Amino acid sequence: MKMPALGPETSLRVSRQGGFVAAPSLARTRQIEFADCDAEQRRGLCSVVERCLPVASKKVGAGDQRFFRVELHYRREDTDAELILQIAEDRAPQELMQLWQNGAIPGDS
Amino acid sequence: MPIHTFIPPYILDRIIDRGSPYQRGCAQQTLHHVQSLPPNPGPPRPTAIAELGELRTPGHAQRRIHDAEQQMQLPGNLRRREGQPASGDAAVDEAYDALGATYTFFWQVFQRDSIDDLGMPLIGTVHYGQGYENAFWNGEQMVFGDGDGELFQRFTRSLDVVAHELTHGLIESEAGLVYFNQPGALNESVSDVFGVLTKQHALGQTAAEADWLVGAELLTDKVNGVALRSMANPGTAYDDPLLGRDPQPAHMRDFIETRDDNGGVHLNSGIPNRAFYLAAMALGGYAWEQAGRIWYATICDPQLPNDADFATFAGVTLNHAAQLFGRQSPQVQALYEAWTSVGVALR
């Protein structure tokens, strides 16, 4: 899986899902619009997604194990497109957890 | 049919925005701690499990309770093994007792020797992570967090939660219901069913005496709710400013189409949960003696496909009710009415 080319209309959503509780608010969905970010922040966001690519899996969550869901919504050749990644909690990169937990973007001062 | 693909914006970051200073501090502390940890090495080594397997003693559990000491490495330090006295640590001893009660339930009612019916040791880890708000089965063992203390207490407090996690292992050994969409919701529902049956068995409760709640002991006094799920009335377990509202449907007309939570496995499980409750209440007595027997025979039936939807599963329960109690039996009639009442069309 490769990273698509991402323009300013891109939207990134990160949520934590699954688990025994699975209450709606525990997903704590974080949505970031690329339009609100400068070039360095966009590069930082792309680096987080790139770190997720090798550890993403379709089979996550069995037996109440929690996982992160990363959604990229973007435009490709004038049509809406999306990239969905699911990452088991115990395989999640630090950068993803930081982004989900407190909105920290790598390289953002 | 409505499509609820995404979490509505009004609940986005609810806890981050409205959480107490303690909760925010706890989250930050957890983050720093997790960042300092090496990667999770994975489940216990198969060799260790094989070694324990040599101790097979049908009719008696082989338990091992480990302590992760607020880290996230499994299995953690061994704190109590089979036959040893209470450790004095509430989580360790609750896990030990609850796994024992679950083993006893499956042995006494179904003559099943542990998760795999081959005497598999029951391995549990407590004190997993810091303020960790979850319990899970990872394919080898059960894992329990302490909760954040604000919304959730430690997950070993509820016998039905411990039994729910063990049942996930049992399902993997039998029906192998895939964890996605309707078969995933059945996987969750069957775990809830045997979770509450274990509790009812331990308390000696009839169907009418039971509360049919899942995780009633987990919520703190600060949460406006009675449990995490209600099998009698799915969707009514909690309605809280921080936690949100119990989203479970109780009928097929409210079935949730979503890409979240592996297709809503923890949401749509409310529908078969209520079907079981209705059948058990109609039949009366101890729920594990009739409805429970039928459900157990169903998940152990090699004819049940691992991608069964609700209607397929319901059909297999009816077949087993007929085999166990007769085609014209009250049990078959009760099941038919229960599945019909929740909107599952029988084929």
Side-chain angles (χ1 to χ4, degrees):
Chain A
M1 196 180 298
K2 291 183 178 179
M3 277 286 286
L6 301 175
E9 68 289 334
T10 300
S11 177
L12 173 66
R13 293 173 70 109
V14 181
S15 58
R16 191 184 64 190
Q17 304 193 5
F20 180 83
V21 179
S25 66
L26 294 185
R28 302 178 194 173
T29 305
R30 186 176 293 282
Q31 179 161 335
I32 300 172
E33 307 296 337
F34 273 37
D36 299 331
C37 301
D38 60 28
E40 186 178 354
Q41 289 173 321
R42 290 178 194 172
R43 279 195 296 274
L45 292 170
C46 288
S47 74
V48 174
V49 178
E50 284 171 346
R51 287 290 304 271
C52 293
L53 291 175
V55 290
S57 171
K58 287 183 179 176
K59 291 185 178 179
V60 294
D64 298 320
Q65 296 179 84
R66 296 193 301 206
F67 61 95
F68 289 94
R69 183 178 171 93
V70 177
E71 302 173 28
L72 268 178
H73 300 273
Y74 59 100
R75 296 283 293 173
R76 182 178 58 195
E77 298 173 354
D78 293 330
T79 58
D80 290 331
E82 64 178 15
L83 174 69
I84 308 290
L85 302 174
Q86 298 192 139
I87 300 104
E89 183 179 55
D90 63 356
R91 302 198 71 188
Q94 285 181 16
E95 294 88 341
L96 177 65
M97 295 187 68
Q98 283 181 296
L99 179 66
W100 172 76
Q101 201 132 27
N102 55 20
I105 301 173
D108 192 24
S109 51
Chain B
M1 192 171 288
I3 296 179
H4 307 281
T5 303
F6 297 113
I7 303 287
Y10 71 89
I11 59 167
L12 303 184
D13 294 332
R14 188 195 303 258
I15 289 183
I16 288 174
D17 291 343
R18 303 188 198 175
S20 67
Y22 172 79
Q23 286 175 319
R24 289 197 294 268
C26 187
Q28 195 65 42
Q29 192 179 18
T30 302
L31 181 63
H32 288 151
H33 181 73
V34 168
Q35 288 167 0
S36 69
L37 293 174
N40 191 329
R45 291 171 292 115
T47 50
I49 292 173
E51 172 199 333
L52 286 164
E54 294 172 6
L55 301 172
R56 185 175 176 186
T57 51
H60 301 280
Q62 286 298 328
R63 290 164 285 186
R64 276 196 161 194
I65 310 301
H66 298 256
D67 184 350
E69 299 175 338
Q70 275 74 50
Q71 299 195 20
M72 300 178 87
Q73 289 176 289
L74 295 174
N77 295 322
L78 180 61
R79 288 290 303 277
R80 188 178 177 189
R81 61 190 306 164
E82 192 62 37
Q84 289 185 330
S87 69
D89 181 303
V92 169
D93 295 330
E94 284 168 352
Y96 184 90
D97 292 343
L99 290 176
T102 311
Y103 181 93
T104 298
F105 165 70
F106 279 106
W107 176 258
Q108 290 186 354
V109 177
F110 305 116
Q111 294 74 55
R112 186 182 185 88
D113 186 10
S114 191
I115 291 169
D116 57 355
D117 203 17
L118 294 169
M120 182 177 181
L122 303 178
I123 301 172
T125 293
V126 300
H127 301 311
Y128 181 79
Q130 287 196 331
Y132 193 77
E133 310 151 325
N134 195 26
F136 61 88
W137 160 260
N138 75 348
E140 296 275 355
Q141 67 158 107
M142 290 143 281
V143 183
F144 306 97
D146 289 329
D148 62 358
E150 289 270 308
L151 300 175
F152 301 100
Q153 306 185 71
R154 61 180 180 274
F155 280 66
T156 48
R157 284 173 54 90
S158 285
L159 169 56
D160 49 89
V161 173
V162 176
H164 172 110
E165 299 309 333
L166 189 152
T167 304
H168 275 308
L170 190 155
I171 293 169
E172 283 183 7
S173 296
E174 297 289 350
L177 292 163
V178 297
Y179 209 71
F180 188 68
N181 287 348
Q182 288 196 26
L186 287 168
N187 194 320
E188 276 302 316
S189 173
V190 170
S191 292
D192 277 350
V193 163
F194 288 102
V196 300
L197 289 184
T198 297
K199 183 178 176 180
Q200 291 172 18
H201 182 260
L203 296 175
Q205 290 179 327
T206 63
E209 292 167 341
D211 61 17
W212 294 95
L213 297 173
V214 178
E217 296 81 6
L218 298 192
L219 297 178
T220 66
D221 294 340
K222 296 174 184 173
V223 177
N224 185 30
V226 294
L228 292 175
R229 290 190 274 279
S230 167
M231 291 183 64
N233 296 294
T236 66
Y238 57 86
D239 188 357
D240 181 79
L242 275 175
L243 202 52
R245 186 177 181 181
D246 179 359
Q248 282 207 315
H251 191 281
M252 285 301 285
R253 63 173 165 263
D254 300 314
F255 186 92
I256 299 172
E257 296 278 0
T258 176
R259 296 191 297 180
D260 289 332
D261 186 31
N262 274 317
V265 298
H266 292 90
L267 307 179
N268 293 315
S269 55
I271 296 167
N273 272 3
R274 180 161 163 78
F276 182 87
Y277 161 81
L278 290 172
M281 290 296 282
L283 294 170
Y286 296 119
W288 62 84
E289 291 184 340
Q290 299 181 71
R293 246 178 106 191
I294 295 165
W295 253 244
Y296 182 75
T298 299
I299 60 165
C300 293
D301 186 347
Q303 300 300 314
L304 179 71
N306 68 353
D307 61 349
D309 60 12
F310 291 176
T312 300
F313 185 88
V316 180
T317 64
L318 281 169
N319 290 343
H320 282 285
Q323 287 174 24
L324 289 166
F325 300 101
R327 292 212 165 273
Q328 306 299 322
S329 64
Q331 289 80 5
V332 169
Q333 185 63 28
L335 252 66
Y336 182 84
E337 290 175 5
W339 285 115
T340 304
S341 294
V342 300
V344 172
L346 293 157
R347 297 181 183 123

